[in-house]
Amino acid sequence: MPACPCPGNLAHILLLNSRLRRTWGVKFFYPRQHTVTREVWCGGVGLHTGADVTIRLKPAPPDFGIRFQRTDLTGKPVITAHYRQVVDTFQATTIGIAGAVVGTVEHLMAAFYGCGVDNVLVEVDGPEIPILDGSAAPYTGLIRKAGVREQDAVRRCLIVDRPMVVKEDGAYIRVTPSDHFRIDCAIDFPHPLVGKQRYSWSFCENSFKREIAKARTFGFLKDVRKLQTMGRAQGGSLANAIVLDECGLLNREGFRYADECVRHKLLDFMGDLALIGMPVVGAFHVHRAGHSLHSRFLKQLMTRPGTCSLAQPSCIPTGVFPASRLPAFAGQISSVAKPI
Ligand SMILES: [Zn+2]
């Protein structure tokens, strides 16, 4: 049976496997890492820089992770997609090393997470990932076009062991242990078409593509004008963002979902969470947060002792456990993970 590329389910199955093997000695399987099958590319404008950029997704070996390579710079520097490489969180997440940066990585990172892709080299010939239509859907389409293949290496997962909360100016992110990857996201904007929105979601690859990936980035006209005078949002247009004026929506096509704004915020969080470098099993409550708080949260999550642990099997799979029997054991598993 092929390993399902759904990170939340896989981590759960990983834990179940361990308990099943120890308790009953039954056969089991482990989730494997995945990469893209072949090279694909796409091009477009960067939302903030306005630069025309082309990206190429290339297959990468196990344990490579997601890395960005600036092919337009001398020495072609490589930047690992990792929370420690975050250098700017104003309006988007920018990663960098030694002066070389790649901006607005979050939608592409969310697509990798949502499609179960662990290892890819992303070549980029400019300072920012193209915004395309403002959502992650074009990237999930690109990944589908490339194909995703299983690799001969076990996928690692991060297990949340203890609750933790990070707060900032009325916003907060809280995480609690869970047997699945869940996000509960809330926003509150004083606008008649937005207001208070809340979206609760439990990870599944298919529902990611259907419910989350298509949600576009959004902004308010007065903020867009301010940003443009600051030299930001240079590539912004109604083709790649939802723009709201004082009481309405400028995009003729309307919203893709009635609550598209909160779904996009959930997408942003997921893209930033992907900078941990592996799937996470825990329940996240994201309230009015943005990229800056996401980044602070990740640093604390990964450094506060006892909050998380790494689940990685110590032996090679010997067979297959019927997935249909797995739900019967849901909720019985405490952590079998090793401390980081
Ligand atoms: Zn976004």
Side-chain angles (χ1 to χ4, degrees):
M1 187 172 79
C4 164
C6 174
N9 288 337
L10 288 178
H12 192 197
I13 289 168
L14 197 77
L15 297 175
L16 289 164
N17 277 334
S18 183
R19 173 65 68 86
L20 293 167
R21 179 168 53 83
R22 281 186 305 159
T23 309
W24 294 289
V26 296
K27 290 183 176 182
F28 59 99
F29 73 93
Y30 285 127
R32 297 282 167 155
Q33 294 180 30
H34 289 72
T35 187
V36 289
T37 304
R38 62 178 185 277
E39 181 179 330
V40 286
W41 67 275
C42 73
V45 66
L47 176 62
H48 291 292
T49 59
D52 282 317
V53 188
T54 298
I55 62 167
R56 291 180 184 279
L57 311 186
K58 293 187 165 183
D63 299 320
F64 184 88
I66 310 293
R67 301 185 199 179
F68 292 84
Q69 184 168 34
R70 282 287 301 269
T71 55
D72 57 319
L73 298 181
T74 306
K76 299 184 179 179
V78 174
I79 307 159
T80 302
H82 194 272
Y83 69 93
R84 283 198 292 255
Q85 303 302 131
V86 173
V87 294
D88 188 9
T89 54
F90 181 66
Q91 298 289 324
T93 297
T94 300
I95 56 173
I97 189 166
V101 299
V102 178
T104 319
V105 297
E106 59 270 20
H107 303 164
L108 179 57
M109 290 301 296
F112 287 140
Y113 198 151
C115 295
V117 176
D118 304 280
N119 306 302
V120 179
L121 175 65
V122 183
E123 288 185 353
V124 49
D125 64 356
E128 188 178 7
I129 299 302
I131 190 68
L132 304 178
D133 75 348
S135 79
Y139 295 123
T140 60
L142 192 65
I143 292 166
R144 192 187 317 118
K145 186 177 162 193
V148 175
R149 69 175 167 85
E150 190 177 281
Q151 297 177 288
D152 190 19
V154 172
R155 173 184 283 159
R156 297 183 307 161
C157 294
L158 191 74
I159 311 294
V160 176
D161 295 319
R162 279 190 206 157
M164 189 193 87
V165 64
V166 176
K167 298 178 182 175
E168 185 178 87
D169 299 332
Y172 66 81
I173 303 173
R174 187 174 75 241
V175 64
T176 53
S178 171
D179 60 3
H180 210 88
F181 172 36
R182 305 173 200 274
I183 305 177
D184 181 65
C185 190
I187 59 172
D188 186 1
F189 288 96
H191 189 282
L193 296 183
V194 186
K196 290 184 180 177
Q197 294 182 1
R198 185 172 177 183
Y199 196 80
S200 297
W201 182 69
S202 192
F203 185 89
C204 164
E205 184 182 346
N206 287 335
S207 80
F208 171 76
K209 291 173 182 168
R210 201 174 51 239
E211 312 292 344
I212 307 297
K214 289 187 279 189
R216 294 163 294 171
T217 193
F218 65 96
F220 298 92
L221 189 58
K222 58 180 172 34
D223 297 333
V224 172
R225 287 178 177 145
K226 205 183 298 174
L227 283 169
Q228 287 179 332
T229 61
M230 295 164 64
R232 308 281 293 193
Q234 299 298 302
S237 75
L238 294 178
N240 56 37
I242 298 166
V243 182
L244 300 135
D245 63 9
E246 286 196 359
C247 52
L249 178 67
L250 299 189
N251 306 64
R252 279 189 191 168
E253 72 278 15
F255 289 111
R256 290 179 178 175
Y257 313 94
D259 54 358
E260 186 169 0
C261 295
V262 72
R263 293 187 197 219
H264 186 81
K265 285 290 189 181
L266 195 154
L267 172 74
D268 278 343
F269 177 73
M270 196 170 156
D272 286 339
L273 191 67
L275 293 172
I276 286 176
M278 67 185 85
V280 185
V281 185
F284 296 85
H285 304 268
V286 183
H287 184 81
R288 299 179 63 198
H291 296 295
S292 166
L293 190 59
H294 297 169
S295 182
R296 269 188 55 211
F297 172 79
L298 292 186
K299 284 173 187 161
Q300 292 204 25
L301 180 72
M302 299 305 287
T303 55
R304 194 175 288 181
T307 309
C308 314
S309 52
L310 193 62
Q312 188 172 24
S314 56
C315 54
I316 297 168
T318 60
V320 172
F321 184 77
S324 59
R325 289 176 58 186
L326 289 174
F329 299 97
Q332 295 182 17
I333 305 300
S334 58
S335 177
V336 295
K338 296 174 184 171
I340 292 174

